[in-house]
C-alpha cells in the first residue's frame, strides 16, 4: 500500500469511496456488491461500509422501494455526500436515476460523475470555510478541528484473462470492455495455442469460443479442466448457439459459465465479476458460515 495525502484537485488520483446501499434485497445487494468489486480495478473504487461507524460518501438507492427513499431522506444527502437512484421515480429527482435492468457501465459512470462533483464541492469548502481541512476525511462542521489523515491507496490487482476466439471483431470487443478494469488480457486465435498459454501462465478467467479452426472449444475446455495445472481456472464458453443441448455440452466439458453471442457488455462484466479472486473469497466465506 502506498500513502498519499487526500487531495481533491484531480480526477486521476486513485480514490476509494464508501457506498451505502438502501432498499435492496439480500440477493440484489450481493449481485451489486460482486459487480462493484470490479471497481477495485478503476481509478474510483466503491466499497460497502466495513463497519457501522463508516461514514458514507455516496448512497445507492432502490427507487422502487418507498422505505428506501425515506431512509435516504433521513440521511440528508447533499453535494458532499450525494446519491444515485436505481429504478423508476414518480416525480423529478435532484439525483441521477439509472433505470432497470441496470447497465453496469452506465451505473459506474453516474457514480463517478456525482463523486467528481462532490470532490469539487469539498475542495471549495477547503478554500472558503475550513482552512486546512483536507476536503475528504471530514464533511461536518463539528469535525473541522480534527487533523487531516493520510488516505491509503491499495495497489491495483493485475488478474490475467485469456480470450480465445478466431474473430478479430470479438477480440477487439473484449479488449475494449476489459481495458477500463486494468485486466492483463492475452489473446489466442485457436485452441492449441490457448492450451499452451494456459499451461505457461495463470489466468483468472478464460473466455473460450466454441467454433474455431482445429480443435473446438469443448475439447479445449476438457483439456484445461483435466490438467492439474489449469483445472481451477474459470472457463466461460462463448457461442452463437444457445440451446439447452449446447449449454449441456458446455457444462459436460467442465465450463463454469456459458454466454451466447453477441455478448453484451453487462453480461461480460457480471460474469467476470463472479470469478475474481475477491468474489470467490466472499462465496467461500458464505459457504463456511452456512455449514
Amino acid at each position: 500500500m502506498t500513502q498519499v495525502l487526500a487531495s481533491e484537485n484531480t480526477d486521476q488520483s486513485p480514490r476509494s469511496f464508501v457506498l451505502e446501499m438502501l432498499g435492496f434485497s439480500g440477493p440484489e445487494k450481493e449481485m451489486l456488491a460482486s459487480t462493484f468489486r470490479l471497481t477495485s480495478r478503476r481509478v474510483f473504487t466503491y466499497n460497502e461500509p466495513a463497519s457501522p461507524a463508516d461514514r458514507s460518501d455516496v448512497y445507492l438507492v432502490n427507487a422502487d422501494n418507498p422505505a428506501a427513499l425515506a431512509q435516504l431522506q433521513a440521511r440528508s444527502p447533499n453535494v458532499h455526500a450525494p446519491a444515485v437512484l436505481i429504478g423508476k421515480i414518480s416525480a423529478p429527482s435532484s439525483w441521477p436515476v439509472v433505470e432497470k435492468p441496470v447497465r453496469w457501465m452506465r451505473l459506474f459512470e453516474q457514480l463517478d460523475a456525482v463523486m467528481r462533483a462532490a470532490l469539487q464541492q469539498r475542495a471549495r469548502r477547503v478554500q472558503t470555510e475550513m482552512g486546512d481541512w483536507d476536503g475528504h476525511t471530514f464533511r461536518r462542521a463539528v469535525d473541522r478541528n480534527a487533523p487531516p489523515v493520510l488516505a491509503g491507496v491499495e495497489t491495483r490487482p493485475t488478474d490475467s484473462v485469456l480470450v480465445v476466439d478466431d474473430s478479430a471483431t470479438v477480440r477487439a470487443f473484449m479488449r475494449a470492455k476489459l481495458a477500463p478494469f486494468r485486466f492483463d488480457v492475452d489473446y489466442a486465435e485457436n485452441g492449441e495455442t490457448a492450451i499452451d498459454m494456459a499451461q505457461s501462465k495463470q489466468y483468472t478467467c478464460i473466455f473460450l469460443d466454441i467454433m474455431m479452426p482445429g480443435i473446438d472449444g469443448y475439447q479445449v475446455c476438457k483439456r484445461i479442466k483435466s490438467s492439474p495445472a489449469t483445472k481451477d481456472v474459470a472457463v466461460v464458453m462463448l457461442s452463437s448457439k444457445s440451446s439447452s443441448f449446447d449449454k449441456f455440452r458446455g457444462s459436460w466439458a467442465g465450463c463454469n459459465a456459458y454466454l451466447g453471442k453477441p455478448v453484451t457488455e453487462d453480461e461480460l462484466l457480471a460474469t467476470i465479476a463472479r470469478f475474481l479472486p475477491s468474489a470467490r473469497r466472499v462465496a467461500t466465506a458464505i459457504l463456511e458460515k452456512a455449514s
Side-chain angles (χ1 to χ4, degrees):
M1 177 187 289
T2 58
Q3 296 286 330
V4 297
L5 184 63
S7 171
E8 307 302 328
N9 58 8
T10 175
D11 288 343
Q12 299 306 313
S13 300
R15 301 300 300 268
S16 180
F17 302 109
V18 175
L19 179 145
E20 183 178 0
M21 291 185 268
L22 302 176
F24 297 98
S25 67
E28 287 174 330
K29 287 188 70 174
E30 177 53 34
M31 177 188 67
L32 288 164
S34 67
T35 308
F36 278 123
R37 292 183 195 111
L38 278 173
T39 66
S40 68
R41 325 185 66 82
R42 303 168 72 246
V43 173
F44 281 9
T45 299
Y46 300 94
N47 301 297
E48 288 188 275
S51 74
D54 284 355
R55 182 172 301 162
S56 300
D57 289 300
V58 59
Y59 304 98
L60 187 66
V61 188
N62 183 356
D64 299 329
N65 185 334
L69 296 175
Q71 282 182 297
L72 178 64
Q73 185 175 6
R75 282 161 171 73
S76 301
N78 53 52
V79 293
H80 308 290
V84 173
L85 309 182
I86 293 180
K88 294 183 178 179
I89 56 173
S90 56
S93 171
S94 57
W95 304 115
V97 180
V98 177
E99 294 185 356
K100 296 180 180 177
V102 176
R103 296 184 61 85
W104 298 116
M105 285 305 298
R106 172 67 173 165
L107 177 57
F108 294 162
E109 289 166 358
Q110 287 290 352
L111 287 167
D112 290 351
V114 297
M115 289 315 303
R116 286 194 181 96
L119 293 179
Q120 292 173 356
Q121 292 296 326
R122 295 179 194 178
R124 293 191 182 100
R125 289 182 68 181
V126 175
Q127 298 168 2
T128 61
E129 297 179 19
M130 294 188 168
D132 62 356
W133 181 62
D134 71 355
H136 167 66
T137 310
F138 310 111
R139 291 196 299 273
R140 302 175 185 174
V142 70
D143 295 325
R144 71 176 62 190
N145 294 322
V149 298
L150 292 176
V153 178
E154 297 287 348
T155 301
R156 294 297 191 261
T158 55
D159 296 314
S160 295
V161 173
L162 176 61
V163 176
V164 189
D165 202 299
D166 61 324
S167 167
T169 300
V170 172
R171 295 197 302 272
F173 170 83
M174 299 290 277
R175 180 184 298 110
K177 300 308 176 185
L178 293 173
F181 298 95
R182 303 185 183 185
F183 288 104
D184 173 23
V185 186
D186 293 331
Y187 302 90
E189 297 183 24
N190 57 68
E192 291 86 349
T193 302
I195 292 170
D196 291 340
M197 294 176 69
Q199 290 290 335
S200 61
K201 182 174 179 177
Q202 184 176 359
Y203 291 101
T204 294
C205 190
I206 297 176
F207 288 94
L208 179 60
D209 186 27
I210 291 178
M211 304 303 294
M212 295 182 293
I215 59 176
D216 65 21
Y218 297 121
Q219 297 177 66
V220 175
C221 185
K222 286 180 186 178
R223 291 174 63 173
I224 288 173
K225 289 298 186 178
S226 64
S227 169
T230 57
K231 63 183 179 65
D232 293 328
V233 65
V235 176
V236 179
M237 303 200 82
L238 309 175
S239 177
S240 56
K241 299 179 179 180
S242 57
S243 69
S244 298
F245 176 71
D246 293 309
K247 293 180 180 179
F248 170 78
R249 287 190 67 188
S251 178
W252 182 73
C255 77
N256 300 88
Y258 190 106
L259 293 179
K261 290 183 178 180
V263 179
T264 68
E265 179 179 65
D266 296 320
E267 287 178 321
L268 175 62
L269 297 184
T271 299
I272 199 167
R274 290 170 49 195
F275 301 117
L276 291 176
S278 56
R280 291 182 173 183
R281 286 194 295 270
V282 171
T284 300
I286 292 173
L287 291 173
E288 290 177 347
K289 187 175 181 180
S291 62

